[in-house]
Each structure stands twice: as C-alpha cells, then as structure tokens.
Amino acid sequence: AGGLRRVLSFWEKPSPEIARACMERGGLWNTFVMVARAATLIEAGRRTLPELSERLARIAPLVGSDPEASILESAYLRVPGANFSADVLSAVPSMLAVSRMPPFTWSDWGTPDRVIATLRHEGILPHWLQELATTA
C-alpha cells in the first residue's frame, strides 16, 4: 500500500515523545515483518558488528566438520551480546526500505496462550486446538 520508501532514521524503542513526533511527521511503526536477501543482512551485520563478523569468518572453513557445533557455540559465547534492531537496523538506515501496511489488528504472539487466544478470536480452530480443548 503505497510502495517502498527509504528509511531516514530507525529508532529502537523510542521514547513516547520521539514516537509521537515521528508519527506526526508521517513516520511508520516497525512491525518487524521483514523481507531481505541473506547477503544484505550479512552485510549489515558486517558493518555494524565487525567482531562477530570476523569471528564467523575465521570459523567458516570448519563448517561441515565434526566439531562445527561446538566451535559455533564457543564463538557465540565469546562475542558480546547484540540487539538486532538497536545495534544493526538503527545503525544502517540507508540499507532499509519500508512499505506502509494496510490496517490490521496487532497481536503479540509472545506466548502459546496469546496465539491460541488470537486463533479463537478469529474463529480458526485447527484440529490440534480442538483436541486441546477436549483434553483440558
């Protein structure tokens, strides 16, 4: 609805004042529905999290080897934590584009109970939900 538009700034969890000002100027709220080429995400990560990128590049030759899982686990345990939205997306707005979505109802599916509540509200009763209702 309205085509793609460039992103000038990306704020992760803006204050209410910043959010209100952005929305008044036509800003969009990030629903985190994303479409991207893997190469673009990798490049964004390389630019913003160089330590992680370098660590993964060093272990790339070991992919497919027997110790791959333990080497990957070790690499991730030693790298500082990062937030994808705050540390990557907000740092590379020039790599982002947005599209205005049509009106919709938001539902936070952070727990199984929320997913089930949404399905019931929408009148969607998959067989596993019907079975759950009869066993509960």
Side-chain angles (χ1 to χ4, degrees):
L4 292 179
R5 297 177 186 214
R6 291 186 302 162
V7 173
L8 300 177
S9 297
F10 182 102
W11 281 284
E12 173 65 9
K13 295 187 179 41
S15 68
E17 295 79 23
I18 291 175
R20 194 172 6 273
C22 288
M23 298 300 280
E24 287 171 0
R25 290 192 323 262
L28 300 175
W29 198 264
N30 178 22
T31 62
F32 216 76
V33 175
M34 295 180 60
V35 177
R37 289 187 172 100
T40 302
L41 294 176
I42 291 168
E43 176 60 18
R46 188 191 64 72
R47 289 183 191 182
T48 58
L49 302 171
E51 183 181 342
L52 175 59
S53 183
E54 290 166 14
R55 186 175 300 272
L56 293 174
R58 285 195 306 268
I59 64 173
L62 301 170
V63 171
S65 67
D66 286 338
E68 176 185 2
S70 62
I71 290 168
L72 281 172
E73 182 179 358
S74 176
Y76 277 106
L77 289 174
R78 290 191 176 103
V79 85
N83 176 292
F84 183 69
S85 292
D87 298 328
V88 177
L89 297 179
S90 64
V92 290
S94 64
M95 294 181 73
L96 307 176
V98 295
S99 176
R100 184 177 302 275
M101 292 180 63
F104 65 94
T105 301
W106 173 252
S107 178
D108 182 349
W109 284 2
T111 67
D113 288 340
R114 291 179 185 165
V115 174
I116 291 170
T118 300
L119 292 172
R120 286 187 173 138
H121 180 266
E122 295 299 320
I124 301 170
L125 246 47
H127 68 77
W128 58 266
L129 185 54
Q130 292 172 1
E131 292 170 9
L132 186 65
T134 59
T135 60

